[in-house]
């Protein structure tokens, strides 16, 4: 690895010769600007705006632009004459716990390479001291013409240094958080916890840049004259406002499906063990009792359906068991109605017969009386 800075670590009175090398590398695919009409490269030339002359690197210097627009030249000699004790030294100023460093401050990462055999012993001493104390070192160093802040920590058998922003270079988070007051329910937090537990951990080495791989495939196809590989369409649902609970439930199911955990215990936590999309409604005060009374809602009813559904045979037995008393009761009711009808019919029949007998007797009596009056008139 090529060193970008040579100097020493100042650890009290201990001096450790080191070389600074980049700990990271950029794998992004870079492009050139071209003229779309003929494919010619587009290049930038450094030209003086006063005389229009193109300049070389040796003819270009530094200047500070004042508020009135005037340029104040600053030479390399001027900068070299400034009192900069960290010009060739990484000066350790303190040792602090790692969690006291705001990750927002962390910048570029470097490895500190021991500068020769004589640096091996003090280098190892500093590394082991950092390990045992479980702390990191805060240091000042100069790189590319300016003093910087750094954090030294142990990585494997080496010492790494992260460039840190100065505290006054970190912006306040005000304006980044939502201004609308929002209340998060316990049920939503429970589902979020379930989703985090389902996703679990990941091996960092297994993560890779899908976009870069797609770009490389595209370039390879164009280079060989092959057909450009088709890329999957973007998710059309991105950016839509959806029901939070429903989204969390679907996310849990998708995570479990990806990890092959379908059918395991705990799937009922999402309330959708039957594989169908749950209809989620917000329960207002008193709504749960009403839903339970009606036997509906997304509470116990949904859980019973999803997690404790009885076999069909048991359902049939239970249904037949409930139907038998109903049929018997219906038969008894029908029998009572039939008996009542017969009784009514008998009474009606008896009443009619009595009426007819009485009428016949009266008719007969009337006829007898008429006959007697006729006999009397004949005798007379």
């Amino acid at each position: 690895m090529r060193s970008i800075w040579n100097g020493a670590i100042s650890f009290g009175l201990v001096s450790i010769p080191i070389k600074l090398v980049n700990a990271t590398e950029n794998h992004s695919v870079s492009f050139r600007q071209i003229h779309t009409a003929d494919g010619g490269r587009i290049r930038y030339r450094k030209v003086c705006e006063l005389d229009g002359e193109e300049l070389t690197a040796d003819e270009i210097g530094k200047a500070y632009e004042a508020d009135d627009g005037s340029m104040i030249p600053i030479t390399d000699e001027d900068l070299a004459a400034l009192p900069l004790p960290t010009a060739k030294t990484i000066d350790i100023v303190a040792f602090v716990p790692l969690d006291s460093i705001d990750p927002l401050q962390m910048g570029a990462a470097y490895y500190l390479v021991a500068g020769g055999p004589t640096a091996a012993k003090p280098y190892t001493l500093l590394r082991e001291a950092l390990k045992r104390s479980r702390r990191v070192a805060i240091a000042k160093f100069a790189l590319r013409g300016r003093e910087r802040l750094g954090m030294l920590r142990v990585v494997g058998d080496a010492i790494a240094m992260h460039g840190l922003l100065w505290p006054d270079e970190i912006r306040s988070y005000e304006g980044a958080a939502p201004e609308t007051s929002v209340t998060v329910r316990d049920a939503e937090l429970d589902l979020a916890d379930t989703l985090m537990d389902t996703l679990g951990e990941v091996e960092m080495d297994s993560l890779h840049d899908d976009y870069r791989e797609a770009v490389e495939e595209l370039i390879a196809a164009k280079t060989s004259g092959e057909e450009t590989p088709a890329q999957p369409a973007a998710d059309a649902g991105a950016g839509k406002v959806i029901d939070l609970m429903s989204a969390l439930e679907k996310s849990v199911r998708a995570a479990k499906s990806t990890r092959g955990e379908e059918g395991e215990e705990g799937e009922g936590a999402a309330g959708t063990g039957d594989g169908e999309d749950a209809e989620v409604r917000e329960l207002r005060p008193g709504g749960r009792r009403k839903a339970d009374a009606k036997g509906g809602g997304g509470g116990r009813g949904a859980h019973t359906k999803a997690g404790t559904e009885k076999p069909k045979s048991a359902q049939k037995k239970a249904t037949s068991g409930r139907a038998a008393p109903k049929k018997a009761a219906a038969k008894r009711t029908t029998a009572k109605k039939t008996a009542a009808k017969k009784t009514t019919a008998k009474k009606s029949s008896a009443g009619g017969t009595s009426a007819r007998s009485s009428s016949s007797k009266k008719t007969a009596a009337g006829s007898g009386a008429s006959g007697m009056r006729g006999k009397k008139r004949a005798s007379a």
Side-chain angles (χ1 to χ4, degrees), residues 81-250:
L82 293 176
L84 187 60
T86 56
K88 285 293 182 180
T89 304
I90 297 175
D91 186 16
I92 296 177
V93 297
F95 293 89
V96 299
L98 177 59
D99 57 9
S100 67
I101 305 298
D102 190 340
L104 288 174
Q105 288 186 255
M106 293 186 182
Y110 310 93
Y111 286 130
L112 304 182
V113 181
T118 57
K121 182 65 178 286
Y123 185 98
T124 305
L125 173 64
L126 176 59
R127 183 191 68 198
E128 295 303 315
L130 290 172
K131 276 185 180 180
R132 191 167 71 172
S133 67
R134 296 183 179 179
R135 289 183 288 178
V136 297
I138 302 301
K140 288 183 177 182
F141 68 102
L143 182 64
R144 299 186 179 97
R146 60 181 291 252
E147 189 172 56
R148 302 167 187 263
L149 197 61
M151 181 192 75
L152 280 64
R153 69 183 184 96
V154 177
V155 177
D157 293 331
I159 299 175
M161 182 174 69
H162 296 268
L164 297 180
L165 297 174
W166 297 98
D168 59 358
E169 294 178 317
I170 303 297
R171 289 181 171 182
S172 172
Y173 64 84
E174 293 181 1
E179 297 180 358
T180 305
S181 178
V182 177
T183 301
V184 179
R185 295 180 295 163
D186 290 341
E188 294 167 340
L189 286 174
D190 292 342
L191 275 174
D193 290 340
T194 302
L195 178 57
M196 288 190 290
D197 293 339
T198 303
L199 291 176
E201 299 179 355
V202 65
E203 292 291 337
M204 296 301 292
D205 294 339
S206 67
L207 303 178
H208 56 278
D209 189 347
D210 294 325
Y211 179 77
R212 176 172 59 86
E213 293 180 357
V215 171
E216 291 174 348
E217 291 178 4
L218 174 65
I219 294 173
K222 285 183 171 291
T223 301
S224 60
E226 298 177 357
E227 185 178 353
T228 303
Q231 300 298 331
D235 185 6
K240 290 184 177 180
V241 178
I242 58 177
D243 181 81
L244 181 58
M245 288 288 287
S246 178
L248 287 171
E249 289 174 345
K250 290 179 180 179

